[in-house]
PDB file of all heavy atoms in Angstrom:
ATOM      1  N   ASP Y 259      63.954 141.827  21.122  1.00 96.00           N
ATOM      2  CA  ASP Y 259      64.791 143.004  21.149  1.00 96.00           C
ATOM      3  C   ASP Y 259      65.935 142.848  20.183  1.00 96.00           C
ATOM      4  O   ASP Y 259      66.285 143.744  19.430  1.00 96.00           O
ATOM      5  CB  ASP Y 259      65.344 143.119  22.547  1.00 96.00           C
ATOM      6  CG  ASP Y 259      65.342 144.536  23.055  1.00 96.00           C
ATOM      7  OD1 ASP Y 259      64.590 145.355  22.489  1.00 96.00           O
ATOM      8  OD2 ASP Y 259      66.030 144.798  24.049  1.00 96.00           O
ATOM      9  N   ARG Y 260      66.575 141.704  20.328  1.00 97.00           N
ATOM     10  CA  ARG Y 260      67.715 141.420  19.489  1.00 97.00           C
ATOM     11  C   ARG Y 260      67.771 139.930  19.140  1.00 97.00           C
ATOM     12  O   ARG Y 260      67.256 139.063  19.871  1.00 97.00           O
ATOM     13  CB  ARG Y 260      69.022 141.727  20.220  1.00 97.00           C
ATOM     14  CG  ARG Y 260      69.116 143.218  20.525  1.00 97.00           C
ATOM     15  CD  ARG Y 260      70.281 143.483  21.389  1.00 97.00           C
ATOM     16  NE  ARG Y 260      71.426 143.926  20.564  1.00 97.00           N
ATOM     17  CZ  ARG Y 260      72.324 144.727  21.115  1.00 97.00           C
ATOM     18  NH1 ARG Y 260      72.270 145.118  22.334  1.00 97.00           N
ATOM     19  NH2 ARG Y 260      73.374 145.103  20.346  1.00 97.00           N
ATOM     20  N   VAL Y 261      68.340 139.646  18.003  1.00 98.00           N
ATOM     21  CA  VAL Y 261      68.488 138.285  17.571  1.00 98.00           C
ATOM     22  C   VAL Y 261      69.980 138.116  17.215  1.00 98.00           C
ATOM     23  O   VAL Y 261      70.495 138.725  16.292  1.00 98.00           O
ATOM     24  CB  VAL Y 261      67.620 137.964  16.330  1.00 98.00           C
ATOM     25  CG1 VAL Y 261      67.824 136.563  15.891  1.00 98.00           C
ATOM     26  CG2 VAL Y 261      66.163 138.263  16.627  1.00 98.00           C
ATOM     27  N   ILE Y 262      70.650 137.349  18.052  1.00 98.00           N
ATOM     28  CA  ILE Y 262      72.125 137.173  17.898  1.00 98.00           C
ATOM     29  C   ILE Y 262      72.438 135.883  17.178  1.00 98.00           C
ATOM     30  O   ILE Y 262      72.074 134.792  17.652  1.00 98.00           O
ATOM     31  CB  ILE Y 262      72.825 137.255  19.288  1.00 98.00           C
ATOM     32  CG1 ILE Y 262      72.484 138.585  19.954  1.00 98.00           C
ATOM     33  CG2 ILE Y 262      74.326 137.099  19.106  1.00 98.00           C
ATOM     34  CD1 ILE Y 262      73.099 138.792  21.291  1.00 98.00           C
ATOM     35  N   GLY Y 263      73.119 136.005  16.082  1.00 98.00           N
ATOM     36  CA  GLY Y 263      73.527 134.824  15.307  1.00 98.00           C
ATOM     37  C   GLY Y 263      74.914 134.423  15.796  1.00 98.00           C
ATOM     38  O   GLY Y 263      75.826 135.230  15.774  1.00 98.00           O
ATOM     39  N   VAL Y 264      75.054 133.171  16.206  1.00 98.00           N
ATOM     40  CA  VAL Y 264      76.357 132.687  16.602  1.00 98.00           C
ATOM     41  C   VAL Y 264      77.022 132.023  15.408  1.00 98.00           C
ATOM     42  O   VAL Y 264      76.424 131.126  14.793  1.00 98.00           O
ATOM     43  CB  VAL Y 264      76.292 131.695  17.783  1.00 98.00           C
ATOM     44  CG1 VAL Y 264      77.677 131.344  18.319  1.00 98.00           C
ATOM     45  CG2 VAL Y 264      75.440 132.297  18.907  1.00 98.00           C
ATOM     46  N   PHE Y 265      78.220 132.506  15.066  1.00 98.00           N
ATOM     47  CA  PHE Y 265      78.953 131.974  13.922  1.00 98.00           C
ATOM     48  C   PHE Y 265      80.388 131.634  14.367  1.00 98.00           C
ATOM     49  O   PHE Y 265      81.004 132.423  15.095  1.00 98.00           O
ATOM     50  CB  PHE Y 265      79.109 133.042  12.846  1.00 98.00           C
ATOM     51  CG  PHE Y 265      77.872 133.318  12.036  1.00 98.00           C
ATOM     52  CD1 PHE Y 265      76.898 134.201  12.563  1.00 98.00           C
ATOM     53  CD2 PHE Y 265      77.652 132.713  10.769  1.00 98.00           C
ATOM     54  CE1 PHE Y 265      75.745 134.483  11.814  1.00 98.00           C
ATOM     55  CE2 PHE Y 265      76.494 133.016  10.093  1.00 98.00           C
ATOM     56  CZ  PHE Y 265      75.555 133.870  10.586  1.00 98.00           C
ATOM     57  N   LYS Y 266      80.875 130.507  13.907  1.00 98.00           N
ATOM     58  CA  LYS Y 266      82.324 130.225  14.088  1.00 98.00           C
ATOM     59  C   LYS Y 266      83.115 131.065  13.111  1.00 98.00           C
ATOM     60  O   LYS Y 266      82.543 131.381  12.037  1.00 98.00           O
ATOM     61  CB  LYS Y 266      82.620 128.733  13.793  1.00 98.00           C
ATOM     62  CG  LYS Y 266      82.319 127.801  14.943  1.00 98.00           C
ATOM     63  CD  LYS Y 266      82.577 126.382  14.542  1.00 98.00           C
ATOM     64  CE  LYS Y 266      82.418 125.482  15.742  1.00 98.00           C
ATOM     65  NZ  LYS Y 266      82.063 124.139  15.436  1.00 98.00           N
ATOM     66  N   ALA Y 267      84.400 131.306  13.383  1.00 98.00           N
ATOM     67  CA  ALA Y 267      85.209 132.048  12.469  1.00 98.00           C
ATOM     68  C   ALA Y 267      85.470 131.214  11.203  1.00 98.00           C
ATOM     69  O   ALA Y 267      85.991 131.729  10.203  1.00 98.00           O
ATOM     70  CB  ALA Y 267      86.515 132.401  13.167  1.00 98.00           C
TER      71      ALA Y 267
END
Side-chain angles (χ1 to χ4, degrees):
D259 222 16
R260 295 173 98 152
V261 180
I262 302 181
V264 187
F265 287 82
K266 276 177 175 154

